Amino acid sequence: MPFSSLGLVPSLVRAAADSGYTKPTAIQSAAIPVILRGGDVIGAAQTGSGKTAAFALPLLQLLLDGSSGARVTRTLILVPTRELAAQVGTAVETFARNALAPLKVATLFGGVSINPQMMSLRGGADIVVATPGRLLDLIEHNALKLSDVKLLVLDEADRLLDLGFSDEIGRILALLPKRRQSLFFSATFPTEVQALADAMLREPVRIEIEAAPASAPDILQRAIEVDPLRRTMLLKHLLLEHKWPRVLVFVATKYAAEHVADKLQRNGFHAGALHGEFSQGTRTQVLAEFKAGMLQVLVCTDLAARGIDIVQLPAVVNYDLPRSAVDYTHRIGRTGRAGESGVAVSFVSADTEAHFRLIEKRQNALIPREQIAGFEPVLTAAPVSAAASVTDTVNGGVKGKRKSKKDKLREAAAKVGGE
């Protein structure tokens, strides 16, 4: 099925081709016609499936069709992280430029001076891509207003509606017109955010693209048993054995990111650390060096688990297990993108075995345990009291149904539904 059959104008069909899309992906084929008709959408599809183009192409056409000459913000795209904001902003600008669309895109995020972003908003912007906190800061500085927004996109909606974002989202929603088109896109939609989504959307079309065997990412998942204190040695062994040109290593804390990266550097590896406490300039530089091949290993927290598109990344390693099955999906989804194959390695110790079994259960997966000669574990799991939960593991545990989180989401849903 060609893009032209989805209702896109010829200039946007060419823009898709210029951006490397020879034919629509499943999420694009399903979502683009609905968006062009003005419908609300909940779009769930695996990472690397082309979700950004699925909403970017039709929203550009809607903007061109409804252009009145005045430059006001008619489309708002909310994203959870600075890196994803920059990535989505660049993608939308590229589509618009290739389509020769005279539209201005403003990309707004924290961690950098607010003044240049205020300057960029002078004269208005047709499309704003923003993280919630910085958007609210700019609104408070009277740099922009949301009263003319006709289309709202929540990218990585599950993370945006998670604890810590729901209050900001509620404040932003209160500033938007009640009559608008709203789109939710994400790889996963946990049940705890569904009530809020239902309250925000008007008779949404739900699009769920299952990963069919032929289209699922080609990712080999491995689980290697190892004692915690020997993980760095095992990581060095794997790097030397497989000679991966680039690998993402996920850890649980900013301290671990810097500590493991430092150990690798002292052993001759070109390694760097990435976490949320770095300045935006440092984060941008480290990512650029990794993408350019100047760094072989990037040791990072879950900051890099979502939205970051790194071309031809052959491997990811879960040095620390993720807190949830959702985070596991996003972590391993950094490899095996755009038709490439990849490998996702998880280090499993005696104390995290039960936690990893929960991740397997929620993934509907059974990953054989391996042991590497010279790194066989010798420790056994500590006794667990009857009152203890598997979610109390050293890595934080799979996220359960925390009362405070659900209460926040219910309150936000009720507030939005009552507007």
PDB file of all heavy atoms in Angstrom, residues 27-53:
ATOM      1  N   ILE A  27       1.323   0.875  11.681  1.00  0.00           N
ATOM      2  CA  ILE A  27       0.722   1.941  12.479  1.00  0.00           C
ATOM      3  C   ILE A  27       0.432   3.160  11.611  1.00  0.00           C
ATOM      4  O   ILE A  27      -0.577   3.845  11.800  1.00  0.00           O
ATOM      5  CB  ILE A  27       1.630   2.309  13.682  1.00  0.00           C
ATOM      6  CG1 ILE A  27       0.926   3.301  14.616  1.00  0.00           C
ATOM      7  CG2 ILE A  27       2.960   2.877  13.227  1.00  0.00           C
ATOM      8  CD1 ILE A  27      -0.271   2.763  15.326  1.00  0.00           C
ATOM      9  N   GLN A  28       1.266   3.432  10.628  1.00  0.00           N
ATOM     10  CA  GLN A  28       1.020   4.554   9.723  1.00  0.00           C
ATOM     11  C   GLN A  28      -0.205   4.297   8.851  1.00  0.00           C
ATOM     12  O   GLN A  28      -1.047   5.185   8.668  1.00  0.00           O
ATOM     13  CB  GLN A  28       2.257   4.814   8.866  1.00  0.00           C
ATOM     14  CG  GLN A  28       3.446   5.333   9.663  1.00  0.00           C
ATOM     15  CD  GLN A  28       4.771   5.177   8.940  1.00  0.00           C
ATOM     16  OE1 GLN A  28       4.821   4.742   7.787  1.00  0.00           O
ATOM     17  NE2 GLN A  28       5.858   5.529   9.605  1.00  0.00           N
ATOM     18  N   SER A  29      -0.326   3.093   8.320  1.00  0.00           N
ATOM     19  CA  SER A  29      -1.481   2.760   7.475  1.00  0.00           C
ATOM     20  C   SER A  29      -2.791   2.877   8.236  1.00  0.00           C
ATOM     21  O   SER A  29      -3.806   3.322   7.694  1.00  0.00           O
ATOM     22  CB  SER A  29      -1.329   1.335   6.915  1.00  0.00           C
ATOM     23  OG  SER A  29      -0.225   1.241   6.054  1.00  0.00           O
ATOM     24  N   ALA A  30      -2.768   2.478   9.507  1.00  0.00           N
ATOM     25  CA  ALA A  30      -4.001   2.496  10.298  1.00  0.00           C
ATOM     26  C   ALA A  30      -4.330   3.880  10.830  1.00  0.00           C
ATOM     27  O   ALA A  30      -5.504   4.271  10.883  1.00  0.00           O
ATOM     28  CB  ALA A  30      -3.870   1.514  11.461  1.00  0.00           C
ATOM     29  N   ALA A  31      -3.309   4.653  11.223  1.00  0.00           N
ATOM     30  CA  ALA A  31      -3.560   5.910  11.928  1.00  0.00           C
ATOM     31  C   ALA A  31      -3.760   7.103  11.004  1.00  0.00           C
ATOM     32  O   ALA A  31      -4.594   7.979  11.286  1.00  0.00           O
ATOM     33  CB  ALA A  31      -2.413   6.203  12.901  1.00  0.00           C
ATOM     34  N   ILE A  32      -3.011   7.192   9.924  1.00  0.00           N
ATOM     35  CA  ILE A  32      -3.035   8.398   9.095  1.00  0.00           C
ATOM     36  C   ILE A  32      -4.435   8.724   8.573  1.00  0.00           C
ATOM     37  O   ILE A  32      -4.895   9.866   8.695  1.00  0.00           O
ATOM     38  CB  ILE A  32      -2.011   8.291   7.950  1.00  0.00           C
ATOM     39  CG1 ILE A  32      -0.589   8.419   8.528  1.00  0.00           C
ATOM     40  CG2 ILE A  32      -2.241   9.366   6.890  1.00  0.00           C
ATOM     41  CD1 ILE A  32       0.525   8.198   7.517  1.00  0.00           C
ATOM     42  N   PRO A  33      -5.195   7.772   7.998  1.00  0.00           N
ATOM     43  CA  PRO A  33      -6.546   8.115   7.518  1.00  0.00           C
ATOM     44  C   PRO A  33      -7.471   8.608   8.630  1.00  0.00           C
ATOM     45  O   PRO A  33      -8.265   9.521   8.423  1.00  0.00           O
ATOM     46  CB  PRO A  33      -7.050   6.803   6.906  1.00  0.00           C
ATOM     47  CG  PRO A  33      -5.814   6.047   6.551  1.00  0.00           C
ATOM     48  CD  PRO A  33      -4.841   6.378   7.636  1.00  0.00           C
ATOM     49  N   VAL A  34      -7.355   8.001   9.826  1.00  0.00           N
ATOM     50  CA  VAL A  34      -8.212   8.417  10.945  1.00  0.00           C
ATOM     51  C   VAL A  34      -7.884   9.842  11.366  1.00  0.00           C
ATOM     52  O   VAL A  34      -8.774  10.665  11.601  1.00  0.00           O
ATOM     53  CB  VAL A  34      -8.030   7.454  12.140  1.00  0.00           C
ATOM     54  CG1 VAL A  34      -8.888   7.920  13.322  1.00  0.00           C
ATOM     55  CG2 VAL A  34      -8.409   6.034  11.743  1.00  0.00           C
ATOM     56  N   ILE A  35      -6.602  10.162  11.448  1.00  0.00           N
ATOM     57  CA  ILE A  35      -6.192  11.509  11.858  1.00  0.00           C
ATOM     58  C   ILE A  35      -6.639  12.533  10.823  1.00  0.00           C
ATOM     59  O   ILE A  35      -7.123  13.618  11.175  1.00  0.00           O
ATOM     60  CB  ILE A  35      -4.671  11.560  12.072  1.00  0.00           C
ATOM     61  CG1 ILE A  35      -4.260  10.606  13.197  1.00  0.00           C
ATOM     62  CG2 ILE A  35      -4.218  12.988  12.398  1.00  0.00           C
ATOM     63  CD1 ILE A  35      -2.758  10.432  13.339  1.00  0.00           C
ATOM     64  N   LEU A  36      -6.500  12.199   9.547  1.00  0.00           N
ATOM     65  CA  LEU A  36      -6.916  13.128   8.495  1.00  0.00           C
ATOM     66  C   LEU A  36      -8.416  13.397   8.544  1.00  0.00           C
ATOM     67  O   LEU A  36      -8.869  14.480   8.158  1.00  0.00           O
ATOM     68  CB  LEU A  36      -6.525  12.579   7.123  1.00  0.00           C
ATOM     69  CG  LEU A  36      -5.028  12.573   6.794  1.00  0.00           C
ATOM     70  CD1 LEU A  36      -4.778  11.906   5.449  1.00  0.00           C
ATOM     71  CD2 LEU A  36      -4.469  14.003   6.789  1.00  0.00           C
ATOM     72  N   ARG A  37      -9.191  12.428   9.042  1.00  0.00           N
ATOM     73  CA  ARG A  37     -10.643  12.621   9.177  1.00  0.00           C
ATOM     74  C   ARG A  37     -10.999  13.416  10.433  1.00  0.00           C
ATOM     75  O   ARG A  37     -12.162  13.731  10.657  1.00  0.00           O
ATOM     76  CB  ARG A  37     -11.362  11.266   9.225  1.00  0.00           C
ATOM     77  CG  ARG A  37     -11.330  10.492   7.917  1.00  0.00           C
ATOM     78  CD  ARG A  37     -12.374   9.386   7.913  1.00  0.00           C
ATOM     79  NE  ARG A  37     -12.167   8.432   8.991  1.00  0.00           N
ATOM     80  CZ  ARG A  37     -11.455   7.295   8.866  1.00  0.00           C
ATOM     81  NH1 ARG A  37     -10.857   7.008   7.708  1.00  0.00           N
ATOM     82  NH2 ARG A  37     -11.334   6.474   9.889  1.00  0.00           N
ATOM     83  N   GLY A  38      -9.998  13.711  11.277  1.00  0.00           N
ATOM     84  CA  GLY A  38     -10.250  14.498  12.478  1.00  0.00           C
ATOM     85  C   GLY A  38     -10.568  13.686  13.715  1.00  0.00           C
ATOM     86  O   GLY A  38     -10.996  14.252  14.728  1.00  0.00           O
ATOM     87  N   GLY A  39     -10.351  12.369  13.662  1.00  0.00           N
ATOM     88  CA  GLY A  39     -10.677  11.521  14.806  1.00  0.00           C
ATOM     89  C   GLY A  39      -9.590  11.481  15.854  1.00  0.00           C
ATOM     90  O   GLY A  39      -8.409  11.690  15.575  1.00  0.00           O
ATOM     91  N   ASP A  40      -9.994  11.227  17.106  1.00  0.00           N
ATOM     92  CA  ASP A  40      -9.051  10.990  18.183  1.00  0.00           C
ATOM     93  C   ASP A  40      -8.504   9.568  18.048  1.00  0.00           C
ATOM     94  O   ASP A  40      -9.206   8.653  17.591  1.00  0.00           O
ATOM     95  CB  ASP A  40      -9.724  11.149  19.543  1.00  0.00           C
ATOM     96  CG  ASP A  40      -9.986  12.607  19.894  1.00  0.00           C
ATOM     97  OD1 ASP A  40      -9.701  13.478  19.042  1.00  0.00           O
ATOM     98  OD2 ASP A  40     -10.467  12.869  21.004  1.00  0.00           O
ATOM     99  N   VAL A  41      -7.255   9.379  18.483  1.00  0.00           N
ATOM    100  CA  VAL A  41      -6.581   8.094  18.278  1.00  0.00           C
ATOM    101  C   VAL A  41      -5.814   7.690  19.519  1.00  0.00           C
ATOM    102  O   VAL A  41      -5.150   8.512  20.157  1.00  0.00           O
ATOM    103  CB  VAL A  41      -5.606   8.168  17.078  1.00  0.00           C
ATOM    104  CG1 VAL A  41      -4.704   6.931  17.022  1.00  0.00           C
ATOM    105  CG2 VAL A  41      -6.369   8.306  15.768  1.00  0.00           C
ATOM    106  N   ILE A  42      -5.911   6.422  19.881  1.00  0.00           N
ATOM    107  CA  ILE A  42      -4.985   5.777  20.804  1.00  0.00           C
ATOM    108  C   ILE A  42      -4.176   4.801  19.961  1.00  0.00           C
ATOM    109  O   ILE A  42      -4.724   3.824  19.442  1.00  0.00           O
ATOM    110  CB  ILE A  42      -5.718   5.024  21.928  1.00  0.00           C
ATOM    111  CG1 ILE A  42      -6.480   5.996  22.821  1.00  0.00           C
ATOM    112  CG2 ILE A  42      -4.740   4.211  22.754  1.00  0.00           C
ATOM    113  CD1 ILE A  42      -7.278   5.316  23.917  1.00  0.00           C
ATOM    114  N   GLY A  43      -2.903   5.076  19.775  1.00  0.00           N
ATOM    115  CA  GLY A  43      -2.058   4.250  18.917  1.00  0.00           C
ATOM    116  C   GLY A  43      -1.003   3.517  19.713  1.00  0.00           C
ATOM    117  O   GLY A  43      -0.128   4.132  20.312  1.00  0.00           O
ATOM    118  N   ALA A  44      -1.098   2.199  19.750  1.00  0.00           N
ATOM    119  CA  ALA A  44      -0.133   1.366  20.462  1.00  0.00           C
ATOM    120  C   ALA A  44       0.612   0.500  19.457  1.00  0.00           C
ATOM    121  O   ALA A  44      -0.008  -0.269  18.716  1.00  0.00           O
ATOM    122  CB  ALA A  44      -0.841   0.487  21.496  1.00  0.00           C
ATOM    123  N   ALA A  45       1.912   0.644  19.408  1.00  0.00           N
ATOM    124  CA  ALA A  45       2.731  -0.154  18.500  1.00  0.00           C
ATOM    125  C   ALA A  45       4.135  -0.256  19.067  1.00  0.00           C
ATOM    126  O   ALA A  45       4.566   0.582  19.861  1.00  0.00           O
ATOM    127  CB  ALA A  45       2.763   0.469  17.098  1.00  0.00           C
ATOM    128  N   GLN A  46       4.837  -1.287  18.667  1.00  0.00           N
ATOM    129  CA  GLN A  46       6.181  -1.556  19.174  1.00  0.00           C
ATOM    130  C   GLN A  46       7.132  -0.415  18.842  1.00  0.00           C
ATOM    131  O   GLN A  46       6.894   0.388  17.944  1.00  0.00           O
ATOM    132  CB  GLN A  46       6.707  -2.850  18.538  1.00  0.00           C
ATOM    133  CG  GLN A  46       6.929  -2.703  17.033  1.00  0.00           C
ATOM    134  CD  GLN A  46       6.948  -4.019  16.298  1.00  0.00           C
ATOM    135  OE1 GLN A  46       6.133  -4.899  16.567  1.00  0.00           O
ATOM    136  NE2 GLN A  46       7.883  -4.171  15.378  1.00  0.00           N
ATOM    137  N   THR A  47       8.206  -0.327  19.612  1.00  0.00           N
ATOM    138  CA  THR A  47       9.218   0.682  19.345  1.00  0.00           C
ATOM    139  C   THR A  47       9.818   0.455  17.963  1.00  0.00           C
ATOM    140  O   THR A  47       9.926  -0.667  17.487  1.00  0.00           O
ATOM    141  CB  THR A  47      10.333   0.621  20.396  1.00  0.00           C
ATOM    142  OG1 THR A  47      10.922  -0.686  20.377  1.00  0.00           O
ATOM    143  CG2 THR A  47       9.798   0.909  21.784  1.00  0.00           C
ATOM    144  N   GLY A  48      10.180   1.544  17.306  1.00  0.00           N
ATOM    145  CA  GLY A  48      10.766   1.445  15.976  1.00  0.00           C
ATOM    146  C   GLY A  48       9.769   1.182  14.876  1.00  0.00           C
ATOM    147  O   GLY A  48      10.146   0.806  13.766  1.00  0.00           O
ATOM    148  N   SER A  49       8.463   1.394  15.155  1.00  0.00           N
ATOM    149  CA  SER A  49       7.425   1.066  14.172  1.00  0.00           C
ATOM    150  C   SER A  49       6.997   2.254  13.329  1.00  0.00           C
ATOM    151  O   SER A  49       6.110   2.116  12.489  1.00  0.00           O
ATOM    152  CB  SER A  49       6.203   0.476  14.888  1.00  0.00           C
ATOM    153  OG  SER A  49       5.668   1.420  15.800  1.00  0.00           O
ATOM    154  N   GLY A  50       7.589   3.428  13.558  1.00  0.00           N
ATOM    155  CA  GLY A  50       7.230   4.587  12.752  1.00  0.00           C
ATOM    156  C   GLY A  50       6.099   5.412  13.313  1.00  0.00           C
ATOM    157  O   GLY A  50       5.357   6.059  12.568  1.00  0.00           O
ATOM    158  N   LYS A  51       5.968   5.448  14.656  1.00  0.00           N
ATOM    159  CA  LYS A  51       4.863   6.193  15.262  1.00  0.00           C
ATOM    160  C   LYS A  51       4.975   7.697  15.004  1.00  0.00           C
ATOM    161  O   LYS A  51       3.969   8.370  14.819  1.00  0.00           O
ATOM    162  CB  LYS A  51       4.797   5.907  16.760  1.00  0.00           C
ATOM    163  CG  LYS A  51       4.383   4.486  17.114  1.00  0.00           C
ATOM    164  CD  LYS A  51       4.124   4.325  18.596  1.00  0.00           C
ATOM    165  CE  LYS A  51       5.382   4.461  19.428  1.00  0.00           C
ATOM    166  NZ  LYS A  51       6.342   3.370  19.186  1.00  0.00           N
ATOM    167  N   THR A  52       6.213   8.224  15.000  1.00  0.00           N
ATOM    168  CA  THR A  52       6.359   9.673  14.805  1.00  0.00           C
ATOM    169  C   THR A  52       5.801  10.100  13.454  1.00  0.00           C
ATOM    170  O   THR A  52       5.043  11.071  13.354  1.00  0.00           O
ATOM    171  CB  THR A  52       7.840  10.087  14.924  1.00  0.00           C
ATOM    172  OG1 THR A  52       8.327   9.723  16.216  1.00  0.00           O
ATOM    173  CG2 THR A  52       7.984  11.597  14.738  1.00  0.00           C
ATOM    174  N   ALA A  53       6.156   9.381  12.398  1.00  0.00           N
ATOM    175  CA  ALA A  53       5.610   9.714  11.075  1.00  0.00           C
ATOM    176  C   ALA A  53       4.106   9.488  11.021  1.00  0.00           C
ATOM    177  O   ALA A  53       3.401  10.178  10.279  1.00  0.00           O
ATOM    178  CB  ALA A  53       6.310   8.881  10.003  1.00  0.00           C
TER     179      ALA A  53
END
